[in-house]
Amino acid sequence: MEITWYGHSCFRLTERGMATVITDPFDHSAVGYFPLKLKGDIVTCSHTAPGHSYFTAVKGEPYVITGPGEFEIGGVFITGVQTNGVHKKASENEQIRNTLYLIQFEELNIVHLGDMDRVPTQSQVESLGDVHVLLIPVGGGTGLNAAKAAEIISLLEPRIVVPMHYGVPECKIDLDPLAKFLKAMGLKEVETQPSLKIANAKALPEETQVVVLDYKS
């Protein structure tokens, strides 16, 4: 399968003969980066915000998932798990809830944490099972900061970690740079790559590996 990052929390997950999944499509006028031009069969949304739920950026008629539940579409199994409140609405005292997603392509389990901002509960951890690829916010703001991200990684023990939701020159949101997360992980530099390709579960590294993706324009 192939995982491509488009900036912020937006990824495209593809596998031959299976549905294509788009996560957290954003409105570039609010977030920055480049305008999204995507096609997909499924769209997952962690919470309602311009940076995470701009569905018109995905062409066609995708199946949109906006909260917890279990779904099977085009051979892909998706489990949405509600977590913490992300932040309060400007005009109300109500917290906007975050949903993380376990996305299963046959034997590969990918977890997208959305805008999670705290360590998950034991029951949430157990509901995920073996995490092969973890897509995790690391830049603070309304999501995890570097220290909390590192703590969650040690808790979930994924095979591959892909950081997201951090500060880059094209991002309009004030977020910490990637270097802060790499330092928390005990790494100096990680060579970026255009996408993450995984042949099968047997090709996964035995020890946790951080993979930094270039965002696609």
Side-chain angles (χ1 to χ4, degrees), residues 81-202:
V81 179
Q82 192 172 76
T83 66
N84 53 280
V86 179
H87 49 76
K88 292 182 179 180
K89 294 181 181 179
S91 59
E92 305 173 30
N93 200 33
E94 178 188 354
Q95 282 195 320
I96 299 174
R97 304 295 293 181
N98 178 70
T99 303
L100 67 80
Y101 293 96
L102 168 60
I103 306 168
Q104 297 173 282
F105 286 82
E106 295 181 336
E107 76 259 25
L108 288 174
N109 299 333
I110 298 96
V111 172
H112 186 285
L113 293 183
D115 243 13
M116 176 179 276
D117 71 353
R118 66 197 71 175
V119 177
T121 64
Q122 187 62 36
S123 63
Q124 288 168 347
V125 170
E126 291 174 356
S127 70
L128 298 177
D130 292 330
V131 179
H132 296 138
V133 181
L134 181 65
L135 310 176
I136 184 170
V138 302
T142 57
L144 298 167
N145 61 25
K148 287 183 179 178
E151 183 179 353
I152 289 177
I153 290 166
S154 66
L155 185 66
L156 296 180
E157 297 183 333
R159 302 290 190 89
I160 296 175
V161 173
V162 180
M164 64 178 184
H165 200 273
Y166 57 84
V168 299
E170 288 78 9
C171 182
K172 295 180 179 180
I173 300 173
D174 184 18
L175 297 171
D176 295 333
L178 177 65
K180 196 168 183 177
F181 167 69
L182 295 179
K183 184 178 180 180
M185 293 293 293
L187 301 170
K188 290 186 177 180
E189 286 186 23
V190 175
E191 187 174 343
T192 62
Q193 54 191 62
S195 66
L196 172 62
K197 296 180 180 179
I198 306 171
N200 50 54
K202 293 180 180 179

